[in-house]
Amino acid sequence: MEIRHPAVAIALLVIFGAPVRGKADKIDDYIIAQIKRLHVPGASIAIVLDGHITKAQGYGFANLELKSPATKETVYEIGSTSKQFTATAIMMLVEEGKVRLDDTITKYFPEAPQAWRAITIRHLLTHTSGIQNHVAVPHWIDVFRTNLAFEMAPSRDELLKMFFKLPLEFQPGETWAYDNTGYYLLGIIIEKASGKSYWQFLDERIFKPLGMNATRSTDPQPIVPNRASGYEWKNDHFENRPILLPAIAFSAGSLLSTVEDMAKWDAALYTEKLLKKSSLDQMWTAPATNDGTTRHSTMALAGSSKTITVTASSSTAAERRAFRQQCTDS
């Protein structure tokens, strides 16, 4: 399950491939037809060939009330694609010897329940920990409250205590299940191991070095130029939906970005700008589980930017998958 509210944001779509010469109009026609069919208020795309953007364009609206058009500079919530950055940050700390993949998470959470004692950081990264996905628990998201000053409750410590009460759905490494809770915990581990906030670490170690100047947290207080509004399709019309606040999704899904920044991110994954090839290979290798369940690599689980990235592109997770598949097939 992707981390999201019942409502969703405007689309961010990054397609990696070569446009056919003379067929730019067909690309435009196709995207326009798909966002209309799938009830997507607006979308931005970037087509990349040999590491260079050959087409970057917006379609529809970034804000329906103001009729602001979506452009290549539009800044969208990227949802669970944020997990890619969390995974990369952990691997950076692994390379520096500050984190070990086979460390049990009790090193960082000594108060964790006995049932969690065998869970490792590798399990969290690969969604094989067995920790129940808190987002999938009915009404669990309702525990979050915010006031007019954007102060969030429960506190981090209170939230952790609530996480620790979640039952294991299976023994660590036994099988695979998508887990936002594990990626939330990874963000806390990044802070404890680095001595910096999650946001500071990403900004200093990933965003600034790659020139991803538009990428940041979903914090609603700062003025973010070209920020898209979020909408939900309900029955036959759009409605506004709340921002996925950093305290709620944190390292599992609280980043904003643009298609041009995401193209820079993708290009970096083909190089050793951020990580050694050995680390990247580990991230792209599917983990083995005891029951042989079909699974994906750590980066693919977070939304593989090496193939096609679609985040919050329509009113349901099923429609987002359909949008992704149709764009891949085309």
Side-chain angles (χ1 to χ4, degrees), residues 50-266:
D50 296 331
H52 301 285
I53 295 177
T54 60
K55 180 182 179 71
Q57 187 172 324
Y59 302 85
F61 296 102
N63 183 289
L64 292 175
E65 292 171 315
L66 299 176
K67 296 297 183 184
S68 302
T71 70
K72 65 182 181 179
E73 288 88 16
T74 298
V75 180
Y76 300 97
E77 292 183 24
I78 66 171
S80 282
T81 306
S82 304
K83 291 181 175 67
Q84 294 183 6
F85 298 93
T86 300
T88 298
I90 286 289
M91 294 305 291
M92 286 177 160
L93 293 169
V94 169
E95 288 189 352
E96 294 169 7
K98 295 179 179 179
V99 169
R100 292 178 63 253
L101 291 178
D102 294 319
D103 280 342
T104 60
I105 64 173
T106 53
K107 177 178 179 179
Y108 301 94
F109 307 104
E111 67 278 26
Q114 185 64 36
W116 288 26
R117 300 288 156 168
I119 297 172
T120 66
I121 291 175
R122 191 188 303 274
H123 287 138
L124 297 184
L125 284 168
T126 57
H127 300 260
T128 57
S129 70
I131 298 172
Q132 187 174 18
N133 182 10
H134 69 283
V135 176
V137 178
H139 308 298
W140 209 97
I141 204 74
D142 296 337
V143 304
F144 293 99
R145 293 288 184 272
T146 184
N147 60 24
L148 292 177
F150 295 106
E151 295 169 334
M152 179 63 65
S155 68
R156 174 75 63 79
D157 288 342
E158 291 170 330
L159 185 62
L160 281 175
K161 290 178 181 178
M162 296 171 71
F163 281 169
F164 294 155
K165 293 179 181 178
L166 293 169
L168 287 186
E169 296 185 310
F170 52 84
Q171 291 303 304
E174 183 63 30
T175 187
W176 174 93
Y178 193 86
D179 183 26
N180 289 294
T181 313
Y183 265 78
Y184 201 112
L185 295 173
L186 285 169
I188 298 174
I189 291 171
I190 290 167
E191 293 185 335
K192 291 186 174 184
S194 70
K196 299 180 179 180
S197 75
Y198 173 75
W199 313 109
Q200 182 183 4
F201 188 91
L202 293 190
D203 189 56
E204 293 179 358
R205 300 293 301 275
I206 298 178
F207 303 153
K208 280 187 170 66
L210 297 183
M212 297 177 66
N213 300 321
T215 306
R216 63 189 70 197
S217 83
T218 58
D219 186 349
Q221 290 188 284
I223 301 299
V224 178
N226 305 308
R227 191 199 299 238
S229 299
Y231 302 96
E232 179 181 4
W233 180 258
K234 284 193 173 180
N235 298 321
D236 60 354
H237 64 282
F238 288 109
E239 292 185 1
N240 289 305
R241 72 128 179 108
I243 294 171
L244 193 59
L245 296 171
I248 294 177
F250 188 43
S251 48
S254 284
L255 288 179
L256 300 173
S257 195
T258 65
V259 290
E260 292 183 313
D261 271 12
M262 291 301 289
K264 294 174 183 177
W265 168 242
D266 177 81

